[in-house]
Amino acid sequence: MTLWTVLIPVAAGLVLAALWWVGKAMLEGAREGLQEANAELAQEQADRDAQAARDADTRRQAVEAAALALSDADRFALNLRAPFTSLWIDIFETRGHRPLTYFYQVTPPGETPEARQAALRQLAASLESGWGITDHTSAMSSLAWLLGGGGHHAPYQQVRRALHAQDTAGLDRRHVKVVRQWEPQVGEVGGLAFDLARAADIAAQGVALGYLSERQGRQVLGQCRQVAREAPFRDWTHYGRSFQAGAAFWNADPVRNREIGRAHV
């Protein structure tokens, strides 16, 4: 046996041991690096969650302050607009501004006069495209239709009475289906909230755009409030269900909706 035959296996073993040690160190380093990266990501997410919670709390405080600045009666009346929250947030929201306080004021939100004017233009376009409202006369016409025995509440109740009498001959089967579906949830109140929410929203927008005076707007909101308080709504959840029922009834007959025209949809 020569010296080389002894040294070569020993050297190979040392090399393998060194490679194993280096590999182990690299794996441990990678593992520690991943742990540090995960910890950093978790901390960043926690920071974002904390900031989101602070922002939400700030918005909540702003909404509460705006609400508390009103009388109970005015606050209740403007709350009737709540089903339109998502729609107006989509219109008015900017990167740094989520205008939930808009529901407790009639002036559209805006961080600058230019932004407020842009919001007013969007309001005007929305009222014109959705209702054909462009001035005082058209605004009052739509409000009279909603609160004067028209709207969708009256035909909803007609179908409901027919259902209870088990005599639905001649009625639109799609409307019958909607009323039957929602009866367990809304009962005698039917889709009344759909008309009330639209009337309250039109009144507030009408004041903002100058189609109605503030006094006229308050009168309409007062009428909405009186109707809502006299109606058999159990709570705000029940009101929301009623809005959904009325909206489903309205949406059940697209052909008839087109015939009614822009002024009443």
Side-chain angles (χ1 to χ4, degrees):
M1 179 181 296
T2 65
L3 179 61
W4 285 110
T5 59
V6 174
L7 291 177
I8 289 174
V10 172
L14 290 174
V15 170
L16 290 174
L19 290 173
W20 176 85
W21 182 85
V22 170
K24 180 181 178 182
M26 292 177 63
L27 287 173
E28 291 178 349
R31 186 180 300 112
E32 291 175 358
L34 286 174
Q35 291 174 344
E36 291 176 359
N38 288 336
E40 290 177 359
L41 289 174
Q43 184 59 51
E44 290 175 1
Q45 185 61 51
D47 291 342
R48 286 194 295 269
D49 291 344
Q51 184 60 51
R54 288 192 292 271
D55 291 344
D57 188 59
T58 299
R59 291 194 297 269
R60 179 186 58 78
Q61 292 178 14
V63 172
E64 290 179 353
L68 291 174
L70 300 171
S71 67
D72 290 344
D74 287 344
R75 184 166 57 250
F76 180 92
L78 288 172
N79 276 336
L80 297 173
R81 312 169 66 196
F84 294 106
T85 300
S86 296
L87 173 64
W88 298 125
I89 285 178
D90 288 343
I91 290 179
F92 296 131
E93 184 176 19
T94 62
R95 177 174 296 181
H97 187 60
R98 192 173 177 84
L100 293 180
T101 54
Y102 171 57
F103 287 89
Y104 294 111
Q105 62 192 50
V106 295
T107 303
E111 296 169 303
T112 65
E114 292 78 12
R116 283 189 289 275
Q117 287 301 313
L120 284 171
R121 287 193 294 271
Q122 287 182 297
L123 273 187
S126 174
L127 275 183
E128 183 175 5
S129 64
W131 288 88
I133 294 175
T134 58
D135 54 21
H136 173 79
T137 300
S138 52
M140 293 303 295
S141 175
S142 293
L143 287 168
W145 181 75
L146 286 168
L147 297 173
H152 289 87
H153 179 60
Y156 188 108
Q157 290 299 329
Q158 179 185 1
V159 174
R160 183 174 182 270
R161 287 191 296 271
L163 270 175
H164 281 270
Q166 298 183 343
D167 181 16
T168 60
L171 295 177
D172 189 311
R173 59 181 178 81
R174 288 164 291 194
H175 286 156
V176 172
K177 180 180 178 181
V178 167
V179 175
R180 181 181 288 115
Q181 174 188 347
W182 283 96
E183 178 66 14
Q185 299 183 61
V186 299
E188 63 180 307
V189 78
L192 176 61
F194 186 56
D195 288 352
L196 289 177
R198 291 183 295 171
D201 206 43
I202 288 173
Q205 293 179 63
V207 173
L209 292 166
Y211 299 162
L212 306 177
S213 67
E214 186 171 343
R215 179 174 175 272
Q216 289 170 327
R218 287 184 178 277
Q219 287 178 335
V220 173
L221 289 173
Q223 186 177 352
C224 293
R225 179 179 65 247
Q226 181 178 351
V227 172
R229 284 182 167 166
E230 291 176 353
F233 291 117
R234 295 187 296 272
D235 49 32
W236 284 108
T237 298
H238 189 201
Y239 178 84
R241 294 286 184 268
S242 172
F243 179 91
Q244 290 177 294
F249 187 87
W250 163 74
N251 197 47
D253 191 349
V255 174
R256 182 170 300 175
N257 289 337
R258 287 195 295 270
E259 290 173 352
I260 288 173
R262 293 185 310 167
H264 294 154
V265 296

